Amino acid sequence: DAKTTQPTSMDCAEGRAANLPCNHSTISGNEYVYWYRQIHSQGPQYIIHGLKNNETNEMASLIITEDRKSSTLILPHATLRDTAVYYCIVRVAMGTTDSWGKFQFGAGTQVVVTP
Amino acid sequence: KAGVTQTPRYLIKTRGQQVTLSCSPISGHRSVSWYQQTPGQGLQFLFEYFSETQRNKGNFPGRFSGRQFSNSRSEMNVSTLELGDSALYLCASSLGQPSGANVLTFGAGSRLTVL
């Protein structure tokens, strides 16, 4: 699975959009980009994933560059409850690996939403 | 539908003792993975079970073991506890269908303190 690089931390004002970058320059064609977040001492929460196209759900939007070497998670209207560590993970499609449940979590980005 | 349930949520043990943690996956999910999270090492993959078989194992000593039952419920056991085993132990389940993306759903975790 390709490695990812994320900023260590970032602040965001409540009500503003939070744009979280992730670099995955060695990503291959069959690797998905996943985003999870972890609020202090809770289990990680799935946010969104994508392969090539931009994706949007009720939580966030995922913008993947055309060359797929980087992506941005967008929280459209950040709230105080969005304060968490956000993890960007790149992982091969199932069926091409025996490690279905093995995700490589890095250090992530600590996002602090301030009033 | 009910999420991933882990029990107990908190427990305190002393060095040398052993501990068993339980995980009930989301109904219909056949893959269960276990992770250890410590402040120093972050989230680390322990092992994964699918259809009662261990599919993959992380880099942990043999004191860490697990199993999965026919109803997909899983347990992990740590024998001869050491102070360094103090951690948040997380269980995640997924459908385990061998194609495309694989979204993990995490439980709230079991917080183990070894004295």
Side-chain angles (χ1 to χ4, degrees), chain B residues 25-42:
Chain B
I26 289 174
S27 178
H29 283 193
R30 298 188 298 166
S31 170
V32 174
S33 302
W34 289 89
Y35 287 78
Q36 180 196 64
Q37 185 172 30
T38 59
Q41 298 296 321

Side-chain angles (χ1 to χ4, degrees), chain A residues 63-85:
Chain A
I63 309 298
I64 303 175
T65 57
E66 193 169 339
D67 63 7
R68 302 185 70 241
K69 292 185 177 182
S70 66
S71 61
T72 300
L73 178 74
I74 300 174
L75 307 177
H77 304 287
T79 72
L80 298 180
R81 288 177 295 181
D82 292 323
T83 293
V85 177

Side-chain angles (χ1 to χ4, degrees), chain B residues 88-108:
Chain B
L88 180 66
Y89 289 89
L90 292 156
C91 167
S93 74
S94 64
L95 281 171
Q97 292 175 337
S99 64
N102 184 35
V103 174
L104 300 183
T105 302
F106 284 83

